[in-house]
Amino acid sequence: MTVEPLSVDTDPQAYVALHDLLDEPAADAGLTDRELELRRLARDVVAHRVAPHAAELDASHAFAHESVQALAAADLCGLVFPRELGGTADSNVAYAVVMEEVTAGCAATSLVFMTQMHAAYPIMLAGDDALRHKYIPGLLDGSSYGSLAITEPDAGSDVSSLSTTASPSADGWRINGQKTFITTGDRADVIVCFATVDRSLGRKGITAFVVEGAWNGVGRGQPFEKMGMHGSSTAELFFEDVDVPRTNLLGTEGNGWAVVMGSVVKSRISAAAQGVGLARAAYARTLATLTRMHGNRLPDHLTFALADLRGRILQGRLLLHAVARQVDRDPEVTAGQIGMMKQSCTDLGFAVAIEATRILGPHGDLTALGVERCLRDAKVTQLYDGTNEIQRLLIGREITRALEAR
Ligand SMILES: Cc1cc2nc3c(=O)[nH]c(=O)nc-3n(C[C@H](O)[C@H](O)[C@H](O)COP(=O)(O)OP(=O)(O)OC[C@H]3O[C@@H](n4cnc5c(N)ncnc54)[C@H](O)[C@@H]3O)c2cc1C
Protein backbone atom coordinates (compact mmCIF):
# COMPACT_ATOMS: atom_id res chain seq x y z
CA MET A 1 0.00 0.00 0.00
CA THR A 2 1.34 3.45 -0.87
CA VAL A 3 0.38 6.16 1.57
CA GLU A 4 0.35 9.62 0.03
CA PRO A 5 2.16 12.26 2.11
CA LEU A 6 -0.09 14.80 3.80
CA SER A 7 -0.72 17.96 1.81
CA VAL A 8 0.90 19.98 4.62
CA ASP A 9 4.21 18.33 3.67
CA THR A 10 4.00 19.21 -0.01
CA ASP A 11 1.94 22.40 -0.20
CA PRO A 12 3.14 25.43 1.82
CA GLN A 13 -0.29 27.07 1.58
CA ALA A 14 -1.95 24.00 3.08
CA TYR A 15 0.70 24.01 5.82
CA VAL A 16 0.05 27.65 6.71
CA ALA A 17 -3.74 27.24 6.56
CA LEU A 18 -3.69 24.25 8.91
CA HIS A 19 -1.32 25.84 11.41
CA ASP A 20 -3.24 29.14 11.35
CA LEU A 21 -6.22 27.09 12.46
CA LEU A 22 -4.28 25.94 15.53
CA ASP A 23 -3.48 29.43 16.84
CA GLU A 24 -5.20 30.03 20.15
CA PRO A 25 -6.65 33.49 20.88
CA ALA A 26 -6.07 32.96 24.62
CA ALA A 27 -2.31 32.59 24.05
CA ASP A 28 -2.15 35.23 21.31
CA ALA A 29 -3.73 37.80 23.64
CA GLY A 30 -0.46 37.94 25.58
CA LEU A 31 1.76 38.48 22.53
CA THR A 32 2.95 41.84 21.21
CA ASP A 33 2.44 42.90 17.57
CA ARG A 34 6.15 42.24 16.94
CA GLU A 35 5.95 38.73 18.41
CA LEU A 36 2.91 37.97 16.22
CA GLU A 37 4.71 39.42 13.18
CA LEU A 38 7.72 37.16 13.85
CA ARG A 39 5.44 34.14 14.14
CA ARG A 40 3.94 34.95 10.73
CA LEU A 41 7.40 35.32 9.20
CA ALA A 42 8.66 32.10 10.82
CA ARG A 43 5.57 30.15 9.75
CA ASP A 44 5.98 31.27 6.15
CA VAL A 45 9.68 30.39 6.03
CA VAL A 46 9.02 27.04 7.71
CA ALA A 47 6.14 26.23 5.36
CA HIS A 48 8.21 26.94 2.24
CA ARG A 49 11.77 26.07 3.19
CA VAL A 50 11.80 23.81 6.25
CA ALA A 51 8.72 21.58 6.62
CA PRO A 52 8.87 20.22 3.03
CA HIS A 53 12.29 18.65 3.84
CA ALA A 54 11.54 17.27 7.30
CA ALA A 55 10.55 13.75 6.27
CA GLU A 56 13.49 13.46 3.90
CA LEU A 57 15.97 14.59 6.58
CA ASP A 58 14.47 12.06 8.97
CA ALA A 59 14.85 9.26 6.42
CA SER A 60 18.33 10.19 5.18
CA HIS A 61 19.80 11.48 8.48
CA ALA A 62 21.32 14.32 6.42
CA PHE A 63 22.25 17.47 8.33
CA ALA A 64 19.57 20.21 8.13
CA HIS A 65 21.95 22.71 6.55
CA GLU A 66 19.58 24.24 3.96
CA SER A 67 16.73 24.54 6.47
CA VAL A 68 18.93 26.36 8.98
CA GLN A 69 20.33 28.62 6.26
CA ALA A 70 16.77 29.57 5.26
CA LEU A 71 16.02 30.60 8.86
CA ALA A 72 19.27 32.57 9.10
CA ALA A 73 18.55 34.31 5.78
CA ALA A 74 15.18 35.40 7.19
CA ASP A 75 17.01 36.96 10.17
CA LEU A 76 15.48 34.55 12.64
CA CYS A 77 18.66 33.15 14.23
CA GLY A 78 19.59 36.14 16.37
CA LEU A 79 16.34 36.99 18.08
CA VAL A 80 17.62 37.64 21.59
CA PHE A 81 20.95 39.16 20.56
CA PRO A 82 21.73 42.89 20.24
CA ARG A 83 21.79 44.51 16.83
CA GLU A 84 25.50 45.33 16.95
CA LEU A 85 26.18 41.57 17.00
CA GLY A 86 23.82 40.83 14.12
CA GLY A 87 20.76 40.11 16.24
CA THR A 88 17.31 41.69 16.27
CA ALA A 89 17.02 42.50 20.00
CA ASP A 90 13.74 40.68 20.42
CA SER A 91 12.18 39.18 23.52
CA ASN A 92 12.56 35.69 24.90
CA VAL A 93 8.86 35.28 24.21
CA ALA A 94 9.57 36.01 20.52
CA TYR A 95 12.28 33.37 20.63
CA ALA A 96 9.90 30.84 22.23
CA VAL A 97 7.23 31.58 19.63
CA VAL A 98 9.68 31.15 16.72
CA MET A 99 11.17 27.98 18.26
CA GLU A 100 7.68 26.50 18.47
CA GLU A 101 7.14 27.36 14.79
CA VAL A 102 10.41 25.82 13.63
CA THR A 103 9.82 22.68 15.71
CA ALA A 104 6.29 22.25 14.43
CA GLY A 105 7.74 22.10 10.89
CA CYS A 106 10.92 20.12 11.59
CA ALA A 107 12.14 19.30 15.08
CA ALA A 108 15.63 18.29 13.91
CA THR A 109 16.07 21.68 12.28
CA SER A 110 14.97 23.31 15.53
CA LEU A 111 17.72 21.43 17.38
CA VAL A 112 20.43 22.82 15.11
CA PHE A 113 18.74 26.25 15.18
CA MET A 114 18.70 26.34 18.99
CA THR A 115 22.26 25.07 19.27
CA GLN A 116 23.47 28.08 17.29
CA MET A 117 21.91 30.20 20.01
CA HIS A 118 23.23 27.97 22.80
CA ALA A 119 26.79 28.42 21.49
CA ALA A 120 26.44 32.17 20.97
CA TYR A 121 24.67 32.96 24.23
CA PRO A 122 27.48 32.09 26.71
CA ILE A 123 29.83 34.19 24.59
CA MET A 124 27.47 37.12 24.89
CA LEU A 125 27.01 36.47 28.60
CA ALA A 126 30.65 36.13 29.61
CA GLY A 127 32.85 37.10 26.66
CA ASP A 128 34.50 40.47 26.17
CA ASP A 129 33.68 42.69 23.20
CA ALA A 130 36.44 41.22 21.04
CA LEU A 131 35.20 37.65 21.54
CA ARG A 132 31.59 38.65 21.00
CA HIS A 133 32.33 40.41 17.73
CA LYS A 134 34.63 37.65 16.53
CA TYR A 135 32.27 34.72 17.00
CA ILE A 136 28.63 35.72 17.50
CA PRO A 137 27.74 37.34 14.12
CA GLY A 138 28.81 34.22 12.19
CA LEU A 139 26.68 31.98 14.40
CA LEU A 140 23.67 34.22 13.88
CA ASP A 141 23.99 34.59 10.11
CA GLY A 142 24.64 30.87 9.61
CA SER A 143 28.13 31.27 8.17
CA SER A 144 29.53 29.22 11.05
CA TYR A 145 28.17 26.37 13.13
CA GLY A 146 28.47 26.20 16.89
CA SER A 147 28.39 23.66 19.70
CA LEU A 148 28.00 23.89 23.44
CA ALA A 149 30.26 21.20 24.90
CA ILE A 150 29.48 20.27 28.49
CA THR A 151 28.59 16.57 28.65
CA GLU A 152 31.34 13.95 29.07
CA PRO A 153 31.22 10.17 29.27
CA ASP A 154 31.15 10.45 33.09
CA ALA A 155 29.61 13.88 33.60
CA GLY A 156 26.36 15.32 32.31
CA SER A 157 23.66 15.75 34.90
CA ASP A 158 26.45 16.33 37.40
CA VAL A 159 28.36 19.08 35.61
CA SER A 160 30.63 19.66 38.59
CA SER A 161 32.33 16.29 38.06
CA LEU A 162 33.60 16.98 34.56
CA SER A 163 37.15 15.86 33.90
CA THR A 164 38.27 17.69 30.76
CA THR A 165 41.22 19.71 32.01
CA ALA A 166 42.58 23.15 31.23
CA SER A 167 46.18 23.64 32.30
CA PRO A 168 48.09 26.90 32.09
CA SER A 169 50.39 27.19 29.03
CA ALA A 170 52.77 29.86 27.76
CA ASP A 171 50.08 31.86 25.99
CA GLY A 172 46.95 30.73 27.80
CA TRP A 173 45.56 27.26 28.35
CA ARG A 174 45.99 23.71 27.10
CA ILE A 175 42.85 21.57 26.99
CA ASN A 176 42.73 17.77 27.21
CA GLY A 177 39.67 15.57 27.47
CA GLN A 178 36.59 14.21 25.77
CA LYS A 179 33.01 15.41 25.32
CA THR A 180 30.08 13.32 24.17
CA PHE A 181 26.53 13.78 22.87
CA ILE A 182 27.46 17.18 21.47
CA THR A 183 24.91 18.62 19.05
CA THR A 184 26.56 19.71 15.78
CA GLY A 185 29.84 18.41 17.28
CA ASP A 186 30.85 16.76 14.01
CA ARG A 187 31.07 20.09 12.19
CA ALA A 188 31.14 22.94 14.72
CA ASP A 189 33.43 25.84 13.82
CA VAL A 190 32.97 27.43 17.24
CA ILE A 191 32.92 25.26 20.35
CA VAL A 192 32.10 26.63 23.78
CA CYS A 193 33.98 24.11 25.90
CA PHE A 194 33.74 23.67 29.66
CA ALA A 195 36.81 22.29 31.42
CA THR A 196 38.19 22.21 34.94
CA VAL A 197 41.31 24.00 36.03
CA ASP A 198 41.38 21.86 39.20
CA ARG A 199 39.06 18.88 39.79
CA SER A 200 39.43 19.15 43.55
CA LEU A 201 37.66 22.52 43.39
CA GLY A 202 34.44 20.96 42.01
CA ARG A 203 32.16 23.68 40.63
CA LYS A 204 34.69 26.38 41.48
CA GLY A 205 37.19 24.87 39.06
CA ILE A 206 34.90 24.92 36.03
CA THR A 207 36.00 27.35 33.36
CA ALA A 208 34.61 28.11 29.90
CA PHE A 209 36.63 28.59 26.71
CA VAL A 210 35.88 29.36 23.09
CA VAL A 211 37.70 26.76 20.98
CA GLU A 212 37.80 26.85 17.20
CA GLY A 213 36.96 23.55 15.55
CA ALA A 214 39.88 23.91 13.13
CA TRP A 215 42.55 24.20 15.83
CA ASN A 216 45.21 21.53 16.22
CA GLY A 217 44.23 18.74 18.58
CA VAL A 218 40.44 19.02 18.11
CA GLY A 219 39.08 15.63 16.99
CA ARG A 220 35.52 14.59 16.18
CA GLY A 221 33.66 11.31 16.25
CA GLN A 222 31.23 10.09 13.64
CA PRO A 223 27.65 11.30 14.28
CA PHE A 224 25.71 8.80 16.42
CA GLU A 225 22.85 6.75 14.97
CA LYS A 226 19.83 7.93 16.97
CA MET A 227 16.14 7.41 17.74
CA GLY A 228 15.03 10.89 16.67
CA MET A 229 16.08 14.36 15.53
CA HIS A 230 17.86 12.75 12.59
CA GLY A 231 18.59 15.98 10.71
CA SER A 232 20.70 17.15 13.63
CA SER A 233 24.07 15.52 14.32
CA THR A 234 25.23 14.37 17.76
CA ALA A 235 28.90 13.48 18.13
CA GLU A 236 31.89 13.08 20.39
CA LEU A 237 34.61 15.73 20.58
CA PHE A 238 38.20 15.03 21.55
CA PHE A 239 40.66 17.61 22.82
CA GLU A 240 44.30 16.56 22.71
CA ASP A 241 46.72 19.27 23.84
CA VAL A 242 44.55 21.97 22.31
CA ASP A 243 46.22 25.33 22.86
CA VAL A 244 43.70 28.05 23.62
CA PRO A 245 44.97 31.64 23.69
CA ARG A 246 44.34 33.66 26.85
CA THR A 247 41.94 35.85 24.87
CA ASN A 248 39.56 32.89 24.40
CA LEU A 249 38.87 32.41 28.09
CA LEU A 250 35.15 33.11 28.61
CA GLY A 251 34.81 35.34 31.63
CA THR A 252 37.23 34.50 34.40
CA GLU A 253 38.93 31.35 35.62
CA GLY A 254 36.53 29.36 37.78
CA ASN A 255 33.31 31.14 36.75
CA GLY A 256 32.21 28.42 34.29
CA TRP A 257 29.47 27.24 36.63
CA ALA A 258 27.89 30.71 36.55
CA VAL A 259 28.15 30.65 32.74
CA VAL A 260 26.41 27.24 32.61
CA MET A 261 23.67 28.40 34.96
CA GLY A 262 23.17 31.68 33.09
CA SER A 263 22.96 29.81 29.80
CA VAL A 264 20.50 27.10 30.78
CA VAL A 265 17.82 29.73 31.34
CA LYS A 266 17.79 30.27 27.59
CA SER A 267 18.46 26.71 26.60
CA ARG A 268 15.53 25.38 28.59
CA ILE A 269 13.19 27.83 26.89
CA SER A 270 14.37 26.15 23.67
CA ALA A 271 13.59 22.62 24.84
CA ALA A 272 10.24 23.69 26.29
CA ALA A 273 9.29 25.35 23.00
CA GLN A 274 10.27 22.12 21.23
CA GLY A 275 7.86 20.25 23.50
CA VAL A 276 4.98 22.56 22.61
CA GLY A 277 5.99 22.55 18.92
CA LEU A 278 6.06 18.76 18.78
CA ALA A 279 2.72 18.51 20.57
CA ARG A 280 1.30 20.86 17.96
CA ALA A 281 2.93 18.96 15.10
CA ALA A 282 1.44 15.66 16.33
CA TYR A 283 -1.97 17.30 16.74
CA ALA A 284 -1.80 18.95 13.29
CA ARG A 285 -0.82 15.68 11.60
CA THR A 286 -3.57 13.82 13.40
CA LEU A 287 -6.12 16.42 12.32
CA ALA A 288 -4.88 16.32 8.71
CA THR A 289 -5.01 12.51 8.68
CA LEU A 290 -8.47 12.33 10.23
CA THR A 291 -9.97 14.88 7.86
CA ARG A 292 -8.46 12.99 4.94
CA MET A 293 -10.21 9.85 6.23
CA HIS A 294 -13.52 11.30 7.43
CA GLY A 295 -13.92 14.76 5.84
CA ASN A 296 -14.48 17.87 7.94
CA ARG A 297 -17.26 16.45 10.11
CA LEU A 298 -15.41 14.15 12.47
CA PRO A 299 -17.23 11.64 14.68
CA ASP A 300 -17.72 12.74 18.30
CA HIS A 301 -15.29 10.23 19.77
CA LEU A 302 -12.55 11.80 17.64
CA THR A 303 -13.42 15.43 18.40
CA PHE A 304 -13.55 14.51 22.11
CA ALA A 305 -10.02 13.15 21.91
CA LEU A 306 -8.85 16.19 19.95
CA ALA A 307 -10.55 18.56 22.41
CA ASP A 308 -8.52 17.07 25.24
CA LEU A 309 -5.24 17.49 23.34
CA ARG A 310 -6.08 21.02 22.23
CA GLY A 311 -6.62 22.15 25.82
CA ARG A 312 -3.38 20.57 26.96
CA ILE A 313 -1.38 22.19 24.15
CA LEU A 314 -2.87 25.57 25.04
CA GLN A 315 -1.85 25.06 28.69
CA GLY A 316 1.71 24.21 27.63
CA ARG A 317 1.94 27.24 25.35
CA LEU A 318 0.64 29.56 28.07
CA LEU A 319 3.22 28.20 30.52
CA LEU A 320 6.00 28.59 27.93
CA HIS A 321 5.03 32.20 27.19
CA ALA A 322 4.59 33.04 30.87
CA VAL A 323 8.04 31.81 31.91
CA ALA A 324 9.71 33.36 28.85
CA ARG A 325 8.02 36.68 29.74
CA GLN A 326 9.23 36.27 33.31
CA VAL A 327 12.80 35.81 31.98
CA ASP A 328 12.37 38.98 29.90
CA ARG A 329 11.49 40.88 33.04
CA ASP A 330 13.85 39.16 35.49
CA PRO A 331 16.83 37.20 34.15
CA GLU A 332 17.42 35.91 37.71
CA VAL A 333 14.41 33.60 37.45
CA THR A 334 15.03 30.44 39.51
CA ALA A 335 16.09 27.04 38.17
CA GLY A 336 12.88 25.56 39.59
CA GLN A 337 10.68 28.01 37.65
CA ILE A 338 12.58 27.19 34.48
CA GLY A 339 12.47 23.50 35.37
CA MET A 340 8.68 23.43 35.66
CA MET A 341 8.41 24.87 32.16
CA LYS A 342 11.02 22.52 30.64
CA GLN A 343 9.66 19.39 32.26
CA SER A 344 5.97 20.14 31.69
CA CYS A 345 6.33 21.25 28.08
CA THR A 346 8.60 18.39 26.99
CA ASP A 347 6.42 15.85 28.82
CA LEU A 348 3.50 17.42 26.97
CA GLY A 349 5.17 16.88 23.59
CA PHE A 350 5.73 13.21 24.31
CA ALA A 351 2.29 12.64 25.85
CA VAL A 352 0.48 14.30 22.94
CA ALA A 353 2.51 12.30 20.41
CA ILE A 354 1.63 9.06 22.24
CA GLU A 355 -2.05 10.00 22.34
CA ALA A 356 -1.98 11.01 18.67
CA THR A 357 -0.70 7.56 17.71
CA ARG A 358 -3.47 5.98 19.81
CA ILE A 359 -6.16 8.10 18.12
CA LEU A 360 -4.87 7.17 14.67
CA GLY A 361 -4.50 3.46 15.44
CA PRO A 362 -2.36 1.75 12.80
CA HIS A 363 -2.06 5.00 10.85
CA GLY A 364 -0.06 6.34 13.78
CA ASP A 365 2.61 3.83 12.84
CA LEU A 366 2.94 5.02 9.23
CA THR A 367 6.10 6.95 8.44
CA ALA A 368 4.40 8.89 5.63
CA LEU A 369 2.00 10.52 8.10
CA GLY A 370 4.80 11.67 10.38
CA VAL A 371 3.20 11.15 13.81
CA GLU A 372 5.70 8.41 14.67
CA ARG A 373 8.47 10.91 13.88
CA CYS A 374 6.93 13.37 16.36
CA LEU A 375 6.94 10.61 18.96
CA ARG A 376 10.61 9.76 18.44
CA ASP A 377 11.65 13.42 18.34
CA ALA A 378 9.58 14.32 21.41
CA LYS A 379 11.16 11.56 23.49
CA VAL A 380 14.59 13.08 22.91
CA THR A 381 13.56 16.48 24.32
CA GLN A 382 12.98 14.81 27.71
CA LEU A 383 16.53 13.46 27.71
CA TYR A 384 18.64 16.57 27.13
CA ASP A 385 19.08 20.07 28.42
CA GLY A 386 18.89 18.69 31.94
CA THR A 387 16.84 15.49 31.93
CA ASN A 388 13.30 15.79 33.25
CA GLU A 389 14.37 13.94 36.42
CA ILE A 390 16.94 16.68 37.00
CA GLN A 391 14.21 19.30 36.50
CA ARG A 392 12.13 17.53 39.17
CA LEU A 393 15.17 17.56 41.44
CA LEU A 394 15.57 21.33 40.97
CA ILE A 395 11.86 21.98 41.54
CA GLY A 396 11.91 19.71 44.60
CA ARG A 397 14.86 21.58 46.11
CA GLU A 398 12.92 24.83 45.84
CA ILE A 399 9.92 23.24 47.52
CA THR A 400 12.16 22.13 50.40
CA ARG A 401 13.90 25.51 50.65
CA ALA A 402 10.56 27.32 50.76
CA LEU A 403 9.25 24.97 53.47
CA GLU A 404 12.39 25.34 55.54
CA ALA A 405 12.29 29.11 55.25
CA ARG A 406 8.77 29.33 56.75
C1 LIG B 1 20.19 14.40 21.15
C2 LIG B 1 21.05 14.89 22.27
C3 LIG B 1 21.72 16.08 22.13
C4 LIG B 1 22.55 16.55 23.15
N1 LIG B 1 23.26 17.71 22.95
C5 LIG B 1 24.15 18.12 23.88
C6 LIG B 1 24.98 19.26 23.65
O1 LIG B 1 24.89 19.92 22.61
N2 LIG B 1 25.88 19.59 24.59
C7 LIG B 1 26.04 18.89 25.75
O2 LIG B 1 26.88 19.24 26.56
N3 LIG B 1 25.25 17.79 26.00
C8 LIG B 1 24.33 17.38 25.10
N4 LIG B 1 23.55 16.27 25.33
C9 LIG B 1 23.75 15.52 26.55
C10 LIG B 1 22.64 15.66 27.56
O3 LIG B 1 22.44 16.98 27.94
C11 LIG B 1 23.00 14.75 28.73
O4 LIG B 1 23.06 13.43 28.25
C12 LIG B 1 22.00 14.85 29.84
O5 LIG B 1 22.14 16.08 30.50
C13 LIG B 1 22.13 13.71 30.86
O6 LIG B 1 23.42 13.66 31.38
P1 LIG B 1 24.24 12.30 31.43
O7 LIG B 1 24.55 11.95 30.03
O8 LIG B 1 25.35 12.48 32.37
O9 LIG B 1 23.24 11.22 31.99
P2 LIG B 1 23.07 10.73 33.46
O10 LIG B 1 23.17 11.87 34.40
O11 LIG B 1 23.98 9.57 33.66
O12 LIG B 1 21.56 10.25 33.43
C14 LIG B 1 21.14 8.90 33.29
C15 LIG B 1 19.77 8.80 33.96
O13 LIG B 1 19.91 9.05 35.38
C16 LIG B 1 19.05 10.10 35.79
N5 LIG B 1 19.67 10.87 36.83
C17 LIG B 1 20.93 11.38 36.85
N6 LIG B 1 21.15 12.04 38.01
C18 LIG B 1 20.02 11.94 38.73
C19 LIG B 1 19.62 12.41 40.02
N7 LIG B 1 20.45 13.12 40.79
N8 LIG B 1 18.37 12.14 40.45
C20 LIG B 1 17.50 11.43 39.68
N9 LIG B 1 17.83 10.95 38.46
C21 LIG B 1 19.06 11.20 37.99
C22 LIG B 1 18.84 10.93 34.53
O14 LIG B 1 17.63 11.66 34.60
C23 LIG B 1 18.76 9.83 33.46
O15 LIG B 1 17.47 9.27 33.47
C24 LIG B 1 22.69 15.81 24.35
C25 LIG B 1 21.98 14.60 24.50
C26 LIG B 1 21.18 14.15 23.49
C27 LIG B 1 20.43 12.85 23.68
Side-chain angles (χ1 to χ4, degrees):
M1 177 178 78
T2 307
V3 181
E4 290 298 316
L6 296 171
S7 61
V8 289
D9 292 326
T10 53
D11 175 1
Q13 280 177 343
Y15 181 96
V16 170
L18 178 61
H19 285 268
D20 281 357
L21 205 65
L22 307 186
D23 288 338
E24 294 287 359
D28 293 359
L31 299 178
T32 63
D33 288 347
R34 169 68 178 162
E35 288 155 359
L36 289 167
E37 179 196 325
L38 280 166
R39 180 173 72 192
R40 170 61 50 211
L41 171 65
R43 189 168 295 170
D44 282 343
V45 177
V46 168
H48 287 88
R49 309 278 306 275
V50 175
H53 307 295
E56 170 54 24
L57 293 177
D58 185 58
S60 67
H61 297 221
F63 186 72
H65 174 72
E66 276 82 15
S67 303
V68 173
Q69 294 302 315
L71 294 166
D75 238 1
L76 288 169
C77 289
L79 292 170
V80 295
F81 292 84
R83 290 181 203 287
E84 71 264 23
L85 296 175
T88 51
D90 281 292
S91 62
N92 285 289
V93 177
Y95 175 73
V97 165
V98 170
M99 260 306 285
E100 183 191 325
E101 284 308 315
V102 177
T103 309
C106 176
T109 298
S110 79
L111 181 50
V112 185
F113 173 81
M114 80 186 203
T115 300
Q116 294 296 95
M117 200 274 258
H118 296 179
Y121 194 75
I123 304 177
M124 190 176 81
L125 202 67
D128 59 18
D129 258 7
L131 274 184
R132 288 185 188 140
H133 282 94
K134 185 168 181 188
Y135 294 113
I136 293 178
L139 291 167
L140 305 191
D141 69 17
S143 56
S144 61
Y145 280 108
S147 282
L148 181 71
I150 301 173
T151 305
E152 299 181 356
D154 294 313
S157 299
D158 182 11
V159 179
S160 62
S161 67
L162 55 80
S163 63
T164 294
T165 56
S167 334
S169 68
D171 179 36
W173 304 86
R174 181 161 296 169
I175 296 189
N176 279 286
Q178 179 184 346
K179 299 287 177 183
T180 191
F181 287 109
I182 305 306
T183 303
T184 322
D186 63 319
R187 70 189 62 220
D189 307 290
V190 180
I191 301 162
V192 174
C193 176
F194 290 80
T196 176
V197 291
D198 181 348
R199 276 196 90 175
S200 70
L201 293 176
R203 284 179 190 179
K204 292 188 178 142
I206 299 174
T207 307
F209 301 89
V210 185
V211 177
E212 294 189 17
W215 284 350
N216 282 342
V218 177
R220 304 153 191 277
Q222 284 298 313
F224 295 137
E225 296 285 326
K226 307 178 295 180
M227 169 171 58
M229 303 285 192
H230 291 167
S232 149
S233 53
T234 313
E236 290 166 300
L237 279 172
F238 304 94
F239 300 88
E240 200 180 327
D241 289 334
V242 178
D243 281 320
V244 179
R246 205 172 301 283
T247 48
N248 279 41
L249 173 72
L250 259 189
T252 53
E253 185 181 323
N255 84 330
W257 180 260
V259 178
V260 173
M261 286 298 130
S263 302
V264 299
V265 170
K266 304 286 171 177
S267 68
R268 290 178 184 165
I269 292 176
S270 309
Q274 284 184 317
V276 179
L278 276 158
R280 183 172 115 208
Y283 181 91
R285 294 183 162 281
T286 304
L287 199 59
T289 304
L290 292 175
T291 49
R292 180 196 270 183
M293 291 158 80
H294 302 278
N296 284 336
R297 183 164 282 276
L298 299 177
D300 280 351
H301 75 279
L302 292 175
T303 54
F304 277 30
L306 291 172
D308 180 42
L309 295 187
R310 184 176 164 186
R312 287 158 69 188
I313 296 168
L314 172 59
Q315 287 172 29
R317 190 176 293 148
L318 288 170
L319 173 62
L320 171 69
H321 292 184
V323 177
R325 190 74 74 200
Q326 189 188 357
V327 174
D328 280 325
R329 293 191 178 138
D330 174 16
E332 299 301 314
V333 53
T334 67
Q337 295 281 305
I338 294 286
M340 283 190 279
M341 168 194 67
K342 194 273 175 179
Q343 182 224 312
S344 302
C345 292
T346 55
D347 283 353
L348 171 82
F350 187 62
V352 170
I354 292 262
E355 180 60 5
T357 53
R358 186 198 67 74
I359 294 169
L360 291 177
H363 293 86
D365 192 30
L366 296 178
T367 304
L369 302 178
V371 174
E372 58 84 35
R373 168 159 42 94
C374 295
L375 181 54
R376 289 184 283 108
D377 290 346
K379 184 66 216 171
V380 185
T381 66
Q382 297 175 307
L383 304 179
Y384 56 47
D385 229 345
T387 67
N388 283 5
E389 287 71 35
I390 295 301
Q391 306 309 324
R392 289 184 183 91
L393 199 77
L394 295 169
I395 301 161
R397 278 186 194 150
E398 289 187 10
I399 295 171
T400 307
R401 268 203 297 276
L403 287 173
E404 286 177 351
R406 281 193 300 176

